[in-house]
Amino acid sequence: MAKPIDWRGSSRDDLRAFPDEAKRNAGYQLRKVQKGEQPDAFKPMAEIGTGVYEIIVDAASGWFRVMYVAKFEEAVYVLHSFQKKTNKTSQGDKYVAKRRYAAVLKERKAQ
């Protein structure tokens, strides 16, 4: 059974703004994650938080990334969706993901 996706902040709208090829690929990779499978191309983002991963979507129109955490039973939390401009992930993008991850942890602790 597939886990639901809990979109954080503007992550859903940001993904919807990806070019069609990148959007389709990102959606396909997220469906794999929902079913408990590994995406085709991903890397751990431990500096963001424990269990955070980044889906790598390289398209003709550019480099795109989706940061998520799937270690919790109730949902896949999509923390941030963005286009990468350089080889290194920007500090701003890392900050957004860290802040949203912290909010997920805080909400889960309050429940």
Side-chain angles (χ1 to χ4, degrees), residues 7 9-11 14 18-19 29 58 78 81 83 86-87 98 111:
W7 300 92
S10 63
S11 61
D14 295 339
F18 286 7
Q29 301 305 325
D58 292 342
V78 176
S81 305
Q83 182 171 8
T86 64
N87 285 334
K98 283 180 186 178
Q111 292 178 356

Side-chain angles (χ1 to χ4, degrees), residues 7-66:
W7 300 92
R8 292 295 159 145
S10 63
S11 61
R12 186 178 206 168
D13 291 335
D14 295 339
L15 190 143
R16 286 179 172 164
F18 286 7
D20 287 341
E21 175 191 10
K23 186 173 16 182
R24 275 192 304 273
N25 190 348
Y28 173 73
Q29 301 305 325
L30 282 171
R31 280 189 292 285
K32 288 181 84 167
V33 172
Q34 284 181 279
K35 292 188 258 178
E37 301 171 17
Q38 290 185 344
D40 295 335
F42 70 102
K43 69 178 187 176
M45 296 297 290
E47 66 185 287
I48 305 301
T50 305
V52 176
Y53 291 90
E54 179 179 75
I55 294 173
I56 300 166
V57 178
D58 292 342
S61 51
W63 302 330
F64 300 87
R65 301 295 185 259
V66 178

Side-chain angles (χ1 to χ4, degrees), residues 62-103:
W63 302 330
F64 300 87
R65 301 295 185 259
V66 178
M67 289 187 186
Y68 70 93
V69 61
K71 70 179 184 173
F72 303 118
E73 291 180 24
E74 69 274 8
V76 173
Y77 293 92
V78 176
L79 305 173
H80 191 32
S81 305
F82 60 99
Q83 182 171 8
K84 245 179 125 166
K85 304 288 186 187
T86 64
N87 285 334
K88 233 178 155 179
T89 302
S90 79
Q91 289 302 316
D93 288 318
K94 289 178 184 179
Y95 174 76
V96 167
K98 283 180 186 178
R99 196 178 72 234
R100 292 176 180 169
Y101 181 73

